[in-house]
Amino acid sequence: MKKLLSLLALFAVILTSCTGDPGPPGRDGLDGLDAPLPAVYEETANFNYNADGNVWTSQEFGYNGVLDGDIIIVYLNLGGSIWTNLPVSYFDDQGEFQYVYDFDYASGTALLSIIGDSDLSTIDDSYTAGVPIRIAIIPSDLIAQFDKTPSFSELMTTLDIEESEIQLRK
C-alpha cells in the first residue's frame, strides 16, 4: 500500500508540475509557407469598340484570392521581351490614345480600355486584337520592397519570379 501511495504521489507531482499561464492558443502554421505569394499572369486582350463612348473595352480578366490591400499592375507588350506598365500613351495622325485599366477588388476582375481625344474607331487592329498583357498581383506585405511602380524586369527580379513561373491564360 505504501508503494501504491508513493506511486500516486509521484504521479500527482508529475501532473501538477507544469503550471503557469499557457498563453493564448494558436493555430498550426506552415512555417511561412501559407503566406500570400506574388503572381504574374499572361493574358491576351481583345477589345470591342463602343461608338457611344468612343472607347475600346477588353473582356474582363478574373482572379481569385485578391485582397483589398494587394497591388495590381498591368503591363503591355511593346514587342519581343519589352513590357511597359499601364497607363501608356500612343500618338498617331489623329491624336493620342491610351491603354488604361481598372481593377475591381470586390469581384476580382480587371478591365482594360483604350481611351483618347479623337475618333478611336479608326485604330489599327494591331492595337485592339490579340494584345499580349501581363497582370501582376503583389500581396500587400511585399509592397514595401518597391519605392515606385516597378518596370517588369524590376518586378520579376525583386520578387524572385522566373519567366517560367508566369501563368499563361489564353
Side-chain angles (χ1 to χ4, degrees):
M1 181 84 159
K2 196 173 189 184
K3 286 185 180 184
L4 180 61
L5 284 175
S6 296
L7 219 82
L8 284 175
L10 180 63
F11 186 71
V13 169
I14 291 173
L15 287 178
T16 60
S17 65
C18 297
T19 60
D21 183 15
R27 54 178 208 174
D28 291 337
L30 299 172
D31 296 330
L33 299 176
D34 56 344
L37 297 174
V40 178
Y41 299 90
E42 185 166 326
E43 307 270 8
T44 300
N46 292 297
F47 294 84
N48 294 309
Y49 182 67
N50 176 344
D52 292 337
N54 189 38
V55 64
W56 290 85
T57 306
S58 74
Q59 72 272 30
E60 288 186 346
F61 300 97
Y63 305 94
N64 294 324
V66 177
L67 302 176
D68 197 20
D70 293 348
I71 298 296
I72 311 301
I73 305 173
V74 179
Y75 295 90
L76 179 76
N77 185 263
L78 298 178
S81 62
I82 301 173
W83 297 87
T84 188
N85 56 312
L86 298 188
V88 64
S89 297
Y90 283 87
F91 298 90
D92 64 10
D93 294 338
Q94 280 88 35
E96 173 195 15
F97 64 92
Q98 280 189 327
Y99 286 92
V100 296
Y101 74 97
D102 185 35
F103 190 84
D104 181 7
Y105 286 91
S107 65
T109 57
L111 183 67
L112 281 68
S113 300
I114 301 174
I115 60 173
D117 63 357
S118 61
D119 179 12
L120 298 179
S121 65
T122 60
I123 292 178
D124 188 81
D125 287 347
S126 64
Y127 294 108
T128 62
V131 178
I133 61 167
R134 288 186 175 171
I135 297 179
I137 301 171
I138 307 169
S140 58
D141 58 338
L142 300 177
I143 300 305
Q145 296 183 31
F146 303 100
D147 59 353
K148 61 181 176 59
T149 302
S151 69
F152 188 72
S153 61
E154 289 171 334
L155 174 99
M156 298 290 282
T157 301
T158 303
L159 297 178
D160 196 26
I161 299 174
E162 298 294 325
E163 190 78 20
S164 62
E165 295 175 298
I166 296 172
Q167 301 175 45
L168 300 176
R169 295 180 10 170
K170 303 282 177 180

